[in-house]
Amino acid sequence: MGAAISGSGAEPRKRAVRCQTVPNRSYEPGQAAAGQPPRLAARVLENLGSDRVIANLEVSGPGFINVTVTDAAILERLAARAADARLGVGSNAEAGVTVIDYSQPNIAKEMHVGHLRSTIIGDALVRALEFTGEKVIRRNHRGDWGTQFGMLIQYLIEHPTELDEGTEPDDSGPSMSRLNRLYKASRAKFDSDADFADRARRRVVELQAGHAETVASWQGMVDESKVYFEAVYARLGVLLEDADAVGESYYNPMLADVCADLEASGVAVRSDGALCVFFEDIKGPNGEPTPLIVQKSDGGYGYATTDLAAIRDRVGMLGANQLLYVVDSRQALHFQMVFETARRAGWLPDNVRALHLGFGTVLGKDGKPKTRSGETVRLMDLLDEAVDRARTVVAEKSPQLASEELEDRAKQVGIGAVKYADLSTSRTRDYIFDADRMVSLNGDTGTYLQYAYARIQSILRKAPEGVTPTAHQDLALEPAERALGLLLDEFGATIELVAETFEPHRLCAYLHSLAAAYTTFYEHCPVLKAPSREVMETRLLLCQLTGQTLRQGMDLLGIGTPERF
Ligand code: ARG
């Protein structure tokens, strides 16, 4: 069983010893006198008697020690976990402050599947880190600034009503429909009308100078996009709030200062009029060094400058000692250069960790990226598709459901399925968006977990009056009960692992094996028809704790657990 469980108090972030028999990989036969693991292991055994916890010890192979814990010890741990609101998972006393940058949609643009992944993964990491005791500050680094706004605002000012006429709300709602039309119309004008393009460029200058009418128009677009983003967040059920939306525009007033400091310290140098940071090991295809441009030769600032200002703010003002960025893997080089620049400038001291948590691409069933083939796939369409499939699955299982309840459950199942499919693949890999597979009741799906949870609740509801889940510690356990009990004990260690590796798929894999171990237990060990009251109560406790663990675990993934299916 995992060593890191305590009823209360702190679980250390690093476990010194794990009570698992793993081979000593560095051992090579005949390496040294001390390198006689079988004899050493035998001596360890001589000094460890069996007691209440250890039922049996045995040397095996080249120095493994197999430890068998007693049934009583397993039952005791289960009882303690079941009695604790945190299921016996401690929190980290040395927790720090993490700023996590995720979701990051762009104003006046449709969100795409890349933003979906960032939102889902970021949300799960926030939940896991917070559960370990970390102070987490969410930053939705929205793309709400840049030259494209000149074009949009100029068009809007010249055609104040045109966009309202005949606006049919599209699938992502009236706001996005309006903004999509605005984007297309102004882009077309910008590309075909040189005078308009000039006016649009002047508009950017006015925006940066804080010209009232221009800023008001920009704000209107931000607000309109917000309506759409919030609809997506509400549909997904994520933690992001308005206060977390600190977009690129927030850092705009700091950019001149960032550049001046970089130039003064010599971290950045002028090259063909632009202010650049060079790196020895980063070269373009032609072998020439590729710099990070922090100020363009026309005086404009870019994406990188904003990220540098954000680092200064997050470390200096927010007191972060860990910075996480949940962004598409294709931006790896950008973050490598930004972090290195910030280190050189002293804004990212050695005791602050900065990590780009990249992720792979979402593919269609044809194996092609969902974002790249022609028209971007609308996020809301993908979510609707999953909810539709879920509705069919739920209606089949529960034909008696009233339509409102069916809708509610279809949403939990469909959205849960999308999240689980995203989180259960290792973060950096691409995956195929296949709504049918996602909502399958058998397999590695969120739906399977939700179904397992609901089945457990149904058994608990059927328990006879006066029979309460209790671990009777003198009972002998069946192998399937032991296996389930030992797995339940791994929950705390799994969460710790997720928080250390930033890999939610480890929690998915754990929950999936837990549901599978429960199924085996349920097949071999009758609960409501158990041979005695003690056995029934003990098995009910196993059911209850499995349910609690599934619910808590899925909650950390942001996935709902309907009580009935
Ligand atoms: N808005 C950007 C995009 O859609 C992602 C921003 C990522 N975060 C950051 N701090 N650079 O590609």
Side-chain angles (χ1 to χ4, degrees), residues 287-305:
E288 290 293 305
T290 309
L292 183 74
I293 299 176
V294 291
Q295 188 177 21
K296 288 177 258 179
S297 50
D298 67 3
Y301 308 108
Y303 186 53
T305 329

Side-chain angles (χ1 to χ4, degrees), residues 11 43 50 69 77 104 125 133 260 262 303 342 361 383 414 448 469 543 549:
E11 276 192 14
R43 285 195 51 200
S50 68
V69 291
R77 299 288 284 244
Q104 318 120 334
L125 291 176
L262 287 175
Y303 186 53
T361 309
L383 300 181
Y448 168 73
C543 293
T549 307

Side-chain angles (χ1 to χ4, degrees), residues 460-473:
L460 292 173
R461 280 193 297 270
K462 286 189 203 129
E465 189 92 17
V467 174
T468 25
T470 315
H472 292 279
Q473 292 180 21

Side-chain angles (χ1 to χ4, degrees), residues 155-216:
Y155 192 89
L156 207 56
I157 286 173
E158 292 178 19
H159 308 81
T161 58
E162 192 189 284
L163 288 162
D164 294 329
E165 285 157 20
T167 300
E168 284 293 321
D170 68 12
D171 294 348
S172 40
S175 316
M176 210 52 231
S177 152
R178 227 179 85 91
L179 289 170
N180 277 339
R181 284 154 49 87
L182 171 63
Y183 204 91
K184 280 195 190 128
S186 60
R187 177 94 247 168
K189 184 123 178 110
F190 188 88
D191 290 340
S192 62
D193 179 342
D195 287 344
F196 174 78
D198 271 346
R199 293 198 294 279
R201 286 192 198 96
R202 279 202 298 279
R203 195 51 79 177
V204 181
V205 180
E206 289 194 338
L207 179 63
Q208 288 185 331
H211 180 281
E213 184 196 19
T214 307
V215 171

Side-chain angles (χ1 to χ4, degrees), residues 139-464:
R139 280 289 176 264
N140 186 356
H141 196 83
R142 296 187 310 203
D144 61 359
W145 202 250
T147 46
Q148 75 277 20
F149 284 100
M151 162 187 109
L152 296 166
I153 295 168
Q154 191 60 30
Y155 192 89
L156 207 56
I157 286 173
E158 292 178 19
H159 308 81
T161 58
E162 192 189 284
L163 288 162
D164 294 329
E165 285 157 20
T167 300
E168 284 293 321
D170 68 12
D171 294 348
S172 40
S175 316
M176 210 52 231
S177 152
R178 227 179 85 91
L179 289 170
N180 277 339
R181 284 154 49 87
L182 171 63
Y183 204 91
K184 280 195 190 128
S186 60
R187 177 94 247 168
K189 184 123 178 110
F190 188 88
D191 290 340
S192 62
D193 179 342
D195 287 344
F196 174 78
D198 271 346
R199 293 198 294 279
R201 286 192 198 96
R202 279 202 298 279
R203 195 51 79 177
V204 181
V205 180
E206 289 194 338
L207 179 63
Q208 288 185 331
H211 180 281
E213 184 196 19
T214 307
V215 171
S217 169
W218 167 82
Q219 188 65 52
M221 264 180 263
V222 171
D223 293 343
E224 197 148 1
S225 297
K226 234 172 65 180
V227 174
Y228 162 67
F229 299 153
E230 271 162 17
V232 175
Y233 295 151
R235 186 125 176 99
L236 282 173
V238 291
L239 299 168
L240 281 170
E241 286 167 16
D242 214 26
D244 307 326
V246 180
E248 295 178 16
S249 63
Y250 174 81
Y251 305 98
N252 184 50
M254 312 170 196
L255 303 182
D257 214 35
V258 163
C259 288
D261 284 3
L262 287 175
E263 192 167 10
S265 61
V267 173
V269 292
R270 289 280 162 195
S271 169
D272 292 333
L275 191 59
C276 302
V277 182
F278 287 93
F279 309 88
E280 246 169 46
D281 50 344
I282 302 174
K283 302 216 162 61
N286 56 0
E288 290 293 305
T290 309
L292 183 74
I293 299 176
V294 291
Q295 188 177 21
K296 288 177 258 179
S297 50
D298 67 3
Y301 308 108
Y303 186 53
T305 329
T306 307
D307 268 324
L308 288 166
I311 289 178
R312 275 217 314 196
D313 188 64
R314 291 168 190 184
V315 176
M317 304 304 287
L318 300 177
N321 40 36
Q322 177 162 269
L323 303 178
L324 303 178
Y325 295 80
V326 189
V327 186
D328 194 313
S329 292
R330 283 171 289 205
Q331 296 195 27
L333 185 61
H334 164 78
F335 285 107
Q336 191 192 334
M337 300 206 277
V338 165
F339 296 161
E340 174 61 26
T341 302
R343 295 245 180 248
R344 288 185 196 169
W347 301 332
L348 201 52
D350 288 343
N351 60 354
V352 179
R353 188 141 85 127
L355 291 173
H356 168 217
L357 305 176
F359 52 79
T361 309
V362 182
L363 309 172
K365 278 201 212 167
D366 56 2
K368 301 220 177 80
K370 277 261 186 206
T371 36
R372 283 193 168 165
S373 53
E375 275 275 289
T376 318
V377 180
R378 281 214 198 84
L379 206 77
M380 280 297 204
D381 290 350
L382 287 182
L383 300 181
D384 287 346
E385 190 187 341
V387 174
D388 283 346
R389 304 296 154 86
R391 193 179 298 109
T392 314
V393 173
V394 173
E396 237 166 64
K397 281 271 164 207
S398 309
Q400 79 296 346
L401 277 187
S403 70
E404 204 176 299
E405 220 181 323
L406 174 65
E407 227 19 70
D408 197 48
R409 218 168 294 170
K411 188 185 153 190
Q412 288 206 57
V413 172
I415 299 297
V418 171
K419 288 187 178 177
Y420 188 87
D422 198 303
L423 296 169
S424 59
T425 0
S426 113
R427 221 186 46 232
T428 47
R429 281 180 44 197
D430 299 346
Y431 75 92
I432 290 176
F433 193 98
D434 180 345
D436 284 316
R437 210 197 58 80
M438 281 176 188
V439 298
S440 160
L441 279 166
N442 333 294
D444 191 11
T445 64
T447 312
Y448 168 73
L449 294 185
Q450 285 171 326
Y451 186 55
Y453 176 79
R455 263 176 27 211
I456 293 172
Q457 300 316 303
S458 134
I459 292 166
L460 292 173
R461 280 193 297 270
K462 286 189 203 129

